[in-house]
Amino acid sequence: MTVREETEQWESRYLSRYAALSRDSKGRDVPEPPCDIRPVYQRDRDRILHCKSFRRLKHKTQVFLTPRGDHYRTRLTHTLEVSQNARTIAKALRLNEDLVEAIALGHDLGHTPFGHAGERALDKLCSRGFAHYEQSVRVVEKLEKQGKGLNLTVEVRDGIRNHRTSGNPSTLEGKIVRLSDKIAYINHDIDDAIRAGILGEEDIPLTYRKTLGFNTKERLNTIIHDIIRNSREQPDICMSLEVEEAMRDLRSFMFRSVYTNPTAKGEESKAQNLLEGLFSYYMDHPEAMSDEYREMLGRGADPKEIVVCDYISGMTDQYAIYKFEEFYVPKAWNV
């Protein structure tokens, strides 16, 4: 018996009856021989962790564009915080931690430079629209490994696609990640906003703080405990009505106070103009893209605007700025 088979047997004995067992996965689009050590979801987790798109998250905006401080969240630290929250919940509920972690680590792979400002820019520029959750699936299916994709399981891709607020994941593990994403960005964005001086703890309405807690640690503790308490041995991931309403209202407060705050978002129009400039340039000069994207154009499977969006959305903040300067900012004359 292989190590993988022993692990699969352990899952069937120990995990909840509602867990997504590795051996019951719907599999991959391209069948592969099983690994002798790792079950399928652990293998997916490893593929995401080692891919180039994951490494680029460290230089992509979470909320604050190119912050000067070292302690502001990036898209990578946000991803790791989502994973940690999700794994804590999954372990307590005896659900599949490997599946949860794979979905969490992959959920934002398709995010643009400059966060949601970049996403809005590409959504306006592309006639088919642009959504980061769909792009994350496109990354793992078509863009990674020179167009071969990561060949992830159905369940991981479903969780990635459905992590958005209106999503409906097919597994409880996917539902955990969907909630953990909200838990992470609401609470940790509060932390960053306080660090930036945009709001103080006392600015958060007292009714939310009385329900959820009076600091980030207390709020995380309250929400995660509430989910675990209400979801144990249930066929769904649930919250109490009181905590769910408070978290939803706190999210609305963050949109009013931070996500649309001119101080925090004052540079976003510049970022959008920058991406518009890059989009226009690459549409006129597709030969300026890297080899793999020129090859995608040559295969003709996707329209040029889609390939250009693929290329731009994969950029880090710094690389997008560098390419914009290369194309549009005059250089000093070198005599």
Side-chain angles (χ1 to χ4, degrees), residues 32 61 72 180 193 206 247 263 267 312:
E32 299 178 9
T61 290
Y72 290 92
S180 295
L206 184 59
M247 191 172 108
T263 303
E267 299 294 296
I312 294 174

Side-chain angles (χ1 to χ4, degrees), residues 22-247:
S22 300
R23 69 182 185 187
D24 294 335
S25 170
K26 295 178 182 177
R28 310 177 189 281
D29 287 351
V30 180
E32 299 178 9
C35 176
D36 62 334
I37 298 175
R38 299 167 297 167
V40 289
Y41 302 137
Q42 184 182 348
R43 205 174 183 187
D44 283 0
R45 185 274 313 273
D46 295 350
R47 291 180 181 186
I48 292 169
L49 191 64
H50 289 103
C51 77
K52 293 187 295 184
S53 300
F54 183 80
R55 295 196 295 275
R56 290 197 298 267
L57 294 177
K58 67 180 177 179
H59 292 305
K60 291 194 177 191
T61 290
Q62 171 61 16
V63 173
F64 296 93
L65 271 64
T66 58
R68 294 182 180 178
D70 292 333
H71 297 138
Y72 290 92
R73 269 77 177 183
T74 65
R75 191 62 57 177
L76 178 61
T77 55
H78 162 74
T79 294
L80 296 176
E81 287 165 343
V82 172
S83 177
Q84 185 271 326
N85 291 338
R87 287 182 58 209
T88 296
I89 296 168
K91 189 167 188 174
L93 298 178
R94 293 189 295 116
L95 297 176
N96 197 313
E97 282 186 71
D98 288 336
L99 176 54
V100 157
E101 189 172 17
I103 295 169
L105 294 180
H107 83 282
D108 270 354
L109 290 179
H111 234 301
T112 59
F114 310 115
H116 289 286
E119 182 176 16
R120 287 191 294 271
L122 292 186
D123 186 48
K124 291 178 182 177
L125 292 166
C126 183
S127 64
R128 296 187 182 183
F130 183 94
H132 79 275
Y133 51 87
E134 292 290 356
Q135 188 68 14
S136 294
V137 176
R138 182 168 169 82
V139 166
V140 300
E141 288 184 342
K142 295 185 177 182
L143 300 184
E144 273 291 335
K145 297 183 68 175
Q146 288 74 49
K148 297 177 183 177
L150 301 181
N151 197 29
L152 304 182
T153 56
V154 170
E155 293 79 11
V156 171
R157 286 177 287 146
D158 168 81
I160 291 173
R161 174 174 281 116
N162 286 288
H163 80 270
R164 65 195 187 278
T165 300
S166 60
N168 185 27
S170 63
T171 64
L172 296 192
E173 289 81 359
K175 292 183 178 182
I176 288 174
V177 175
R178 176 180 169 274
L179 263 180
S180 295
D181 183 35
K182 312 298 178 292
I183 294 168
Y185 75 65
I186 292 170
N187 287 287
H188 297 132
D189 292 351
I190 288 175
D191 191 35
D192 280 356
I194 292 172
R195 177 175 289 107
I198 290 173
L199 57 81
E201 178 67 40
E202 67 281 358
D203 295 322
I204 301 172
L206 184 59
T207 181
Y208 309 156
R209 292 191 286 154
K210 284 182 175 179
T211 300
L212 300 177
F214 289 86
N215 56 53
T216 298
K217 180 180 177 180
E218 288 183 5
R219 285 187 285 270
L220 286 171
N221 190 63
T222 297
I223 295 169
I224 290 172
H225 274 77
D226 185 80
I227 292 171
I228 293 169
R229 185 166 50 250
N230 287 277
S231 303
R232 295 193 73 178
E233 298 305 321
Q234 298 296 320
D236 200 3
I237 303 302
C238 311
M239 301 175 70
S240 67
L241 183 61
E242 181 185 26
V243 170
E244 183 177 16
E245 288 182 346
M247 191 172 108

